[in-house]
Amino acid sequence: MRSRLIPVVALALLTLGAAPLPLAAQPTSSESLRAHAVEGAAPIQLDGHLDEEVWDQAPKSTAFTQQEPVEGGPPSERTAIRVLYGETALYLGVTLFYSDPDAIRAYQLRRDASLGSDDRLMWTLDPYNDGRNAYFFETNPLGLRGDGLLSSGQGSSLNKSWDGIWTVETRRHEDGWTAEIRIPFRTLQFDPTQTTWGFNVQRTLRVENEEILWAGHERDEGIFRPQHMGTLRNVGAESSGVGLDVTPFGLAKGSRSWTDSGRSTDGTADVGGDLSYAFTPSLRTALTVNTDFAEVEVDQRRVNLTRFPLRFPEKRDFFLEGSSVFDFAPRSAQYPFFSRRIGLVDGSPVPILAGARMNGRMGRYNVGLFQVRTRSTDNVVSDTTSWPREDFTVARAVRNVGSESQVGVLYTRRATEAEGERFARLDNRHTLGADMELSTSSLFGNQNFQFQAFFVWHNAPLKSDTSSWGHRTTRGLRLNYPNQPWFGHMSYREFGNAYDPAVGFVRRRSFRRLQPTIGYNPVFETNAVVREIQFVADFEYLTDLALEPQTVNFTLTPLELFFTTGDRVEVEVERNFERLNESFDILRDGSILLPTGTYPTWGMETEAETAAYRTVSGEAEFGYGGFWSGTRTRLSLGTTVRPLPGLNASVNWAHRRVNLAEGDFRTHLLRFEGNVDLTPNLAITSQLQYDNLSDRLGLFARLRWILEPGSDLYLVYTHNWRSIDGHLSPRSAETAAKLTYTIRL
């Protein structure tokens, strides 16, 4: 009965409209900066030189405070920020002084590359000033563009797969470096009547491992928590143009495949595109026709020795735009909506005929909608039959409650065309979920605390299904205390034995799980060697629905050291208990079957990694312990070389040696990645992956030329081989060229 109260309470809160709840949270920081208005449509020549007279007229702020290593300390270097706005865009001018310019680190040029190796400038914008969601941007002295969507919640969540249309120019000089940035208003969703935005800036001085912030400098705050932003006042953002973006694409593909009966070739040419329209500056819709994702990177290969499926991240732009609104009960490890269930079947692409998307804000609600139709196809690798046409509907609404809390509902529908006996048995599959999160950043004065609860139900997928209502549900709650030096969380969840949402992802079902975690993370601000230490104890107690233990894990991290140089060392000890109720084919080929029974084991693991700003950096992991009926030795090694800016190469090798009573085996996973980034707009990426279980070698190579923000040329080549009798035999190859161009009206 208690589990049924969760959706009732959430839905009741959603309908509350009479109580006067504040839309915007008052920022916890006192930092504020006034944006300066400029006349004309193009007031700035974007060249990295802040030499226009209007920059001197704009108010300037240098009020930065150190977060690391000395919380609240003065920065070792000075930073000055100014903000302008014109008719169509927001402009940021930042001067980053450096007393020793030779110490500046800058290696990365490729869009959205990790900047753990570089000096960095990050900034966030919250056009609604409600401390809930924000746009994230970053750059380095080479003018790299990185961006993402930031949302608060059980901690914070940053989705860096979002690519906004904006530009930046940087210049290095004898006093440090400068960044001149232009962000079109049409790149953002905003309320034109809201002239005060949430705003924050963070600078990283890489060699010193120093982090300085304009607002929210305490370790329990920071730039990734929108509720601790400062404010940007006097922003006169107005919608411009018709609000219509047209992005057509042209595509040419050539493929070749090898089978036992011979070789075949094929070639295609196609066109399609996207239309995006802003009903208001805060609500947008998009239509995609004849969609193709030829430019998307391949998944990183993984060796799966567990009983459960692996979840791979979404990489397709159409499903990533505004995707944060679809996050359901974040950090609770359950996914009633997983966009990779649309247009993919077991990793094989299913062509999308057309799709529509809407996302944005309507008053106190954040809303999102997908409607997608896929074509029928015969090219599903894992299936011997053709895959029929399908329709997908996904709808999400989240209501803001108070200053930091929210409640939401999620609905999905999957309708499969009845082709043949197999699919004729399927009913239209509906999923309905409700979640809520009650949060505060002022517990005991300045501590963060969150409570989260969720409930999900779906109907019977087959017309003849006799499973009960309760067995097709999942429910749970989570308490989170994400602070420093003490932190911790505790979660409880239940999954029914028939729970399987048609547009979702389920790793495991038919269980009850309790997981408390506690940690201690002291920082030594003045120590010349050690920056911080972390201790963590994590306990997982998972039973079946009859409360018989199935998985019991106790993981202790007695020591994790973070050095002032940026290097890290960790030691971990684990006690594990597993119960098998049916035999487990661990290699999925019938060669080694683990019998039913109980398996208690002990294990240990140690990791070490060096700071990424070094020309040569590396990481190593070693683990040994019990594994099912025997033992497992784990060894992983990786190194990255950055000889020149824009040029880097990394090699990673993961080895597992498993000795079981039922048989022994070895696994090897080798991954190479090389990047040649000639400019921030021209990048060549290559990946080579091999694992000995599939005996497949895969090559992915892509050239991306950003003609201008929003318009790209891609050249992509993939090649796959399989090892046969010790020799590599080609299996498939494909070459694709794709041109996209965005026209803004």
Side-chain angles (χ1 to χ4, degrees):
M1 181 65 183
R2 284 177 298 176
S3 63
R4 299 188 183 185
L5 289 176
I6 294 174
V8 173
V9 172
L11 289 171
L13 287 172
L14 269 174
T15 60
L16 287 176
L21 299 173
L23 263 180
Q26 294 300 316
T28 58
S29 171
S30 60
E31 295 303 329
S32 181
L33 179 66
R34 183 175 62 84
H36 181 66
V38 293
E39 300 295 334
I44 299 296
Q45 180 182 352
L46 215 67
D47 55 9
H49 295 291
L50 307 181
D51 51 6
E52 288 88 355
E53 182 180 354
V54 68
W55 285 118
D56 294 329
Q57 298 171 354
K60 176 176 65 175
S61 177
T62 59
F64 283 79
T65 307
Q66 194 175 146
Q67 183 186 59
E68 299 289 350
V70 181
E71 183 182 52
S76 60
E77 303 289 350
R78 196 160 55 92
T79 307
I81 54 175
R82 302 174 177 89
V83 179
L84 309 173
Y85 72 90
E87 293 179 3
T88 61
L90 191 74
Y91 297 85
L92 277 73
V94 188
T95 305
L96 303 99
F97 295 93
Y98 218 128
S99 54
D100 181 12
D102 292 336
I104 295 175
R105 292 293 184 268
Y107 297 101
Q108 305 294 345
L109 282 162
R110 180 168 40 94
R111 178 152 196 170
D112 286 325
S114 171
L115 289 180
S117 59
D118 292 20
D119 278 65
R120 174 177 59 182
L121 174 69
M122 300 183 287
W123 65 100
T124 54
L125 294 169
D126 174 10
Y128 296 99
N129 193 31
D130 62 2
R132 299 175 179 277
N133 302 280
Y135 294 92
F136 170 87
F137 304 89
E138 64 180 347
T139 191
N140 67 352
L142 296 175
L144 171 145
R145 289 194 304 276
D147 48 19
L149 301 175
L150 181 64
S151 59
S152 61
Q154 297 274 320
S156 62
S157 175
L158 176 62
N159 179 1
K160 287 196 67 178
S161 298
W162 174 77
D163 281 349
I165 295 178
W166 59 284
T167 51
V168 58
E169 292 291 338
T170 59
R171 288 289 182 271
R172 294 180 65 166
H173 46 76
E174 61 182 9
D175 294 323
W177 60 288
T178 57
E180 197 169 28
I181 300 143
R182 181 181 186 272
I183 304 174
F185 288 131
R186 286 181 56 178
T187 297
L188 312 173
Q189 291 183 336
F190 59 91
D191 179 356
T193 65
Q194 179 76 35
T195 60
T196 298
W197 292 13
F199 179 58
N200 206 356
V201 180
Q202 179 171 336
R203 177 184 178 184
T204 302
L205 293 92
R206 184 57 63 192
V207 173
E208 293 84 353
N209 280 322
E210 183 176 326
E211 303 287 350
I212 62 173
L213 283 107
W214 184 68
H217 69 271
E218 295 182 8
R219 293 193 180 98
D220 292 336
E221 300 174 340
I223 198 168
F224 296 107
R225 296 184 184 274
Q227 61 267 41
H228 299 294
M229 286 183 169
T231 56
L232 182 63
R233 297 178 288 106
N234 191 46
V235 181
E238 297 182 5
S239 58
S240 57
V242 177
L244 179 66
D245 291 353
V246 183
T247 308
F249 77 80
L251 173 71
K253 278 185 184 179
S255 62
R256 179 176 295 179
S257 61
W258 290 261
T259 63
D260 295 338
S261 59
R263 185 180 69 182
S264 63
T265 59
D266 189 21
T268 61
D270 213 345
V271 295
D274 298 344
L275 273 72
S276 175
Y277 179 69
F279 288 110
T280 70
S282 61
L283 184 65
R284 297 184 182 181
T285 187
L287 175 67
T288 184
V289 179
N290 202 25
T291 313
D292 184 272
F293 303 104
E295 74 280 10
V296 175
E297 288 187 12
V298 296
D299 292 320
Q300 285 200 351
R301 201 173 297 186
R302 289 184 271 176
V303 173
N304 185 11
L305 298 181
T306 74
R307 292 170 285 165
F308 312 109
L310 299 176
R311 178 176 174 268
F312 291 89
E314 178 62 84
K315 298 182 178 182
R316 299 169 295 174
D317 286 342
F318 180 75
F319 295 103
L320 290 170
E321 178 74 25
S323 61
S324 59
V325 71
F326 294 98
D327 292 341
F328 184 88
R331 308 293 181 92
S332 289
Q334 54 83 43
Y335 309 95
F337 169 55
F338 181 45
S339 58
R340 282 178 66 111
R341 296 294 298 273
I342 303 176
L344 291 170
V345 175
D346 293 335
S348 299
V350 175
I352 293 178
L353 174 62
R357 181 190 70 230
M358 183 181 71
N359 63 281
R361 179 170 297 207
M362 301 174 64
R364 298 181 181 182
Y365 291 87
N366 295 314
V367 296
L369 174 69
F370 280 117
Q371 181 66 48
V372 179
R373 168 165 287 190
T374 60
R375 301 176 188 267
S376 60
T377 182
D378 295 323
N379 297 322
V380 176
V381 175
S382 61
D383 207 282
T384 57
T385 63
S386 63
W387 200 263
R389 185 174 62 187
E390 294 188 290
D391 287 296
F392 298 84
T393 304
V394 184
R396 173 79 160 144
V398 180
R399 180 190 169 103
N400 297 329
V401 178
S403 61
E404 299 184 46
S405 302
Q406 62 184 38
V407 292
V409 292
L410 173 73
Y411 168 75
T412 74
R413 170 183 173 269
R414 183 172 187 170
T416 305
E417 194 171 85
E419 290 186 4
E421 180 181 352
R422 173 185 174 187
F423 296 104
R425 297 183 296 120
L426 287 174
D427 204 349
N428 287 346
R429 286 147 288 168
H430 306 273
T431 300
L432 181 64
D435 63 333
M436 69 174 175
E437 182 173 303
L438 308 177
S439 302
T440 179
S441 56
S442 56
L443 181 71
F444 308 130
N446 62 350
Q447 300 290 285
N448 299 294
F449 182 77
Q450 291 115 11
F451 167 78
Q452 188 178 84
F454 68 88
F455 180 89
V456 184
W457 163 90
H458 65 79
N459 70 330
L462 301 176
K463 296 176 181 177
S464 58
D465 197 309
T466 59
S467 60
S468 70
W469 186 90
H471 288 166
R472 298 191 305 273
T473 63
T474 179
R475 63 207 64 86
L477 54 84
R478 191 173 193 270
L479 302 174
N480 189 29
Y481 184 75
N483 295 286
Q484 199 276 334
W486 288 100
F487 62 91
H489 59 81
M490 182 174 67
S491 63
Y492 174 78
R493 66 196 69 151
E494 298 179 8
F495 278 59
N497 57 19
Y499 178 71
D500 188 16
V503 198
F505 175 84
V506 181
R507 185 171 184 268
R508 187 173 186 172
R509 59 180 61 84
S510 189
F511 69 84
R512 305 173 193 265
R513 178 177 180 265
L514 178 69
Q515 184 185 23
T517 298
I518 189 170
Y520 181 60
N521 177 215
V523 177
F524 306 98
E525 297 181 341
T526 59
N527 192 291
V529 178
V530 176
R531 174 67 56 85
E532 57 184 289
I533 299 177
Q534 185 163 277
F535 310 92
V536 182
D538 179 86
F539 182 65
E540 177 187 22
Y541 188 75
L542 186 149
T543 74
D544 62 15
L545 297 179
L547 299 181
E548 182 176 39
Q550 303 295 307
T551 297
V552 182
N553 284 324
F554 177 69
T555 304
L556 178 67
T557 304
L559 185 64
E560 185 174 8
L561 287 175
F562 299 86
F563 297 94
T564 56
T565 56
D567 307 314
R568 183 183 71 89
V569 175
E570 178 185 359
V571 177
E572 185 178 281
V573 180
E574 182 180 58
R575 173 72 164 93
N576 176 256
F577 168 86
E578 292 284 351
R579 183 188 304 275
L580 280 181
N581 296 313
E582 55 185 39
S583 61
F584 173 35
D585 181 5
I586 191 169
L587 295 180
R588 276 82 173 175
D589 61 2
S591 61
I592 298 179
L593 294 178
L594 298 175
T596 60
T598 59
Y599 297 86
T601 58
W602 283 89
M604 62 78 62
E605 182 177 299
T606 183
E607 297 180 29
E609 63 179 3
T610 62
Y613 64 78
R614 294 189 170 93
T615 302
V616 180
S617 60
E619 57 186 1
E621 173 190 333
F622 175 78
Y624 178 80
F627 186 66
W628 298 110
S629 62
T631 62
R632 176 177 61 179
T633 303
R634 292 176 287 178
L635 177 63
S636 298
L637 299 173
T639 185
T640 300
V641 181
R642 304 177 183 86
L644 295 170
L647 179 63
N648 60 79
S650 62
V651 179
N652 292 275
W653 173 59
H655 170 63
R656 303 292 183 265
R657 184 175 66 189
V658 179
N659 299 312
L660 303 174
E662 298 76 19
D664 303 336
F665 63 91
R666 308 288 184 269
T667 71
H668 301 276
L669 176 59
L670 184 66
R671 180 182 298 114
F672 167 83
E673 181 170 346
N675 297 293
V676 180
D677 305 326
L678 303 176
T679 74
N681 295 323
L682 184 59
I684 301 172
T685 299
S686 61
Q687 297 175 2
L688 196 64
Q689 301 183 92
Y690 170 79
D691 74 274
N692 67 316
L693 291 187
S694 68
D695 261 342
R696 291 183 181 272
L697 176 69
L699 169 68
F700 172 86
R702 183 184 70 183
L703 180 148
R704 181 184 184 184
W705 181 14
I706 303 175
L707 307 174
E708 60 183 53
S711 303
D712 303 86
L713 172 65
Y714 295 95
L715 300 177
V716 181
Y717 179 71
T718 60
H719 203 127
N720 294 286
W721 298 263
R722 185 169 185 178
S723 178
I724 300 177
D725 297 328
H727 300 282
L728 288 176
S729 175
R731 310 308 294 170
S732 65
E734 183 176 273
T735 302
K738 183 176 181 180
L739 175 65
T740 68
Y741 194 83
T742 298
I743 304 168
R744 299 197 126 177
L745 302 175

